Amino acid sequence: MTEKLSDTARKTTLEPLLEAGWELDDGRDAISKKYEFENFVEAFGFMTKCAIWAEKWNHHPEWSNVYKTVNVTLTTHDVDGLSSLDVKLARKMDGLAE
Amino acid sequence: MTEKLSDTARKTTLEPLLEAGWELDDGRDAISKKYEFENFVEAFGFMTKCAIWAEKWNHHPEWSNVYKTVNVTLTTHDVDGLSSLDVKLARKMDGLAE
């Protein structure tokens, strides 16, 4: 069962993400990141790979795309905040963006 | 060469889109539409089809996705407003969403 990240988990799992360019949202318990690619094909290709993982894990991003830019926000609606699912998907997305 | 829609073109091409659920944006010359699908696979599948046409026509939407919802905004940066490319892509997206 998915639970909100504990204080300990925030230290150990969230801080590396913040160092990797993720930011905590103002106003709600969520993290966001802006990815920039070479062009639209690269940007949408990234989204396509992420989409398959998101569906496989049944945990979906809120995201937008303008040409070569992809903005992603992750949060877990079921727990009204960040959970380990967000950490897992954030790490996966960073890997897929490389 | 792409040009801003003329007043006549607005009447003939934009009005049918407004009747089909597109809305003129406040504050800039653009049209937007919210599409809702059965689930994430349907929503992202729609985006994937649109992405291929967008790239083929070298005219890309500004869009966002949250689970089964896709919000699209179309405008033509080169002419700082709506052009026939937006009308063409809007019609294509409506077709692909059916």
Side-chain angles (χ1 to χ4, degrees):
Chain A
M1 160 120 195
T2 309
E3 288 178 4
K4 235 177 173 167
L5 285 182
S6 68
D7 289 347
T8 312
R10 282 177 181 265
K11 280 237 162 65
T12 54
T13 64
L14 220 47
E15 283 191 5
L17 290 176
L18 301 181
E19 283 165 21
W22 290 86
E23 291 182 1
L24 283 164
D25 282 24
D26 292 334
R28 65 174 181 155
D29 194 27
I31 50 173
S32 294
K33 187 170 184 175
K34 179 180 181 171
Y35 294 95
E36 192 130 356
F37 298 89
E38 287 293 303
N39 51 45
F40 178 75
V41 172
E42 295 299 320
F44 198 79
F46 163 73
M47 292 179 77
T48 305
K49 287 186 262 187
C50 295
I52 292 169
W53 284 98
E55 181 63 20
K56 182 175 164 122
W57 289 342
N58 196 27
H59 189 62
H60 304 83
E62 301 173 16
W63 50 0
S64 61
N65 160 242
V66 179
Y67 194 55
K68 63 182 182 175
T69 300
V70 180
N71 279 291
V72 180
T73 297
L74 300 177
T75 191
T76 304
H77 295 108
D78 287 353
V79 303
D80 195 28
L82 288 163
S83 77
S84 58
L85 286 172
D86 300 305
V87 172
K88 186 174 159 187
L89 188 55
R91 286 176 181 159
K92 174 57 76 179
M93 293 180 98
D94 281 348
L96 294 172
E98 272 170 11
Chain B
M1 163 124 189
T2 309
E3 287 176 4
K4 235 178 174 169
L5 285 183
S6 67
D7 288 348
T8 313
R10 281 177 183 265
K11 279 237 162 69
T12 54
T13 65
L14 220 47
E15 283 191 7
L17 290 175
L18 302 180
E19 282 164 25
W22 290 86
E23 291 183 1
L24 282 164
D25 281 24
D26 292 334
R28 65 174 182 157
D29 193 27
I31 50 173
S32 294
K33 187 169 181 175
K34 179 180 181 171
Y35 293 95
E36 191 129 359
F37 298 89
E38 286 294 302
N39 52 44
F40 178 75
V41 172
E42 295 298 320
F44 198 80
F46 163 73
M47 291 179 78
T48 304
K49 287 186 259 185
C50 294
I52 293 170
W53 284 97
E55 181 64 19
K56 181 174 164 122
W57 289 341
N58 195 29
H59 189 62
H60 303 85
E62 301 172 17
W63 49 1
S64 62
N65 159 243
V66 179
Y67 196 54
K68 63 182 181 175
T69 300
V70 180
N71 279 291
V72 180
T73 297
L74 300 178
T75 190
T76 303
H77 294 108
D78 287 353
V79 303
D80 194 29
L82 288 163
S83 77
S84 58
L85 286 171
D86 301 304
V87 173
K88 188 174 158 186
L89 188 54
R91 284 176 182 158
K92 173 58 75 177
M93 293 178 99
D94 281 348
L96 294 172
E98 271 169 12

